[in-house]
Amino acid sequence: MSAAPAGRRRGRWDPRAADAGLISGAPGSSALDGLGACVHLAGAGVADHRWTARYKAEVRASRVLGTRALAGALAKLSPPPATLVAASAIGWYGDTGGREVDESAPSGQSFLARLVRDWEAAAEPAADAGIRVVHPRSGLVLTPAAGCSPGCSRWPGWGSCPSSPPAARS
């Protein structure tokens, strides 16, 4: 959950709990009731720590379990929101060796590729409930002059960048 404008309900969620701890059982009592769309960007950062087995498990749990719990909670709403935008990443493709890929390309076999595949699949309860699910596969923004765009040297939680490279602005 995120900051809400004054007068709006706020809620806390637990990505490891069934239904993310957001569904109380009483109709109309969920912090999600009346939601038209949901944007889900939560998850431990892949560049925040050294990739120990323990941290890789934390990244996996935060993304896969959290998405599955939220998708399950959204699926139980009546009516459910029209759309779930659930963050994803270009890690889906794995090492392409410089080969150009698009959304139809199969997933790779690396840790990140398996993680992203499972992360996207975790949204299936929402899709099964008729919610449109969108997975924007984000990545780093590179500039011709400076490599990683300013602001991307430290990935914010999702890996997005505050500015676009000059080529993207033209």
Side-chain angles (χ1 to χ4, degrees), residues 126-146:
D128 291 346
I131 300 169
R132 177 177 173 244
V133 176
V134 179
H135 295 289
R137 292 183 181 151
S138 65
L140 294 175
V141 176
L142 303 177
T143 70

Side-chain angles (χ1 to χ4, degrees), residues 46-103:
V46 296
D48 291 352
H49 297 280
R50 188 179 181 115
W51 280 17
T52 61
R54 184 177 181 172
Y55 191 68
K56 285 166 71 173
E58 181 179 333
V59 169
R60 171 173 280 290
S62 72
R63 292 165 187 264
V64 176
L65 297 180
T67 300
R68 185 176 300 130
L70 181 60
L74 295 173
K76 289 185 175 179
L77 295 175
S78 182
T83 305
L84 167 61
V85 178
S88 185
I90 61 171
W92 166 275
Y93 306 106
D95 183 355
T96 63
R99 185 181 82 252
E100 204 171 293
V101 294
D102 64 20
E103 293 81 11

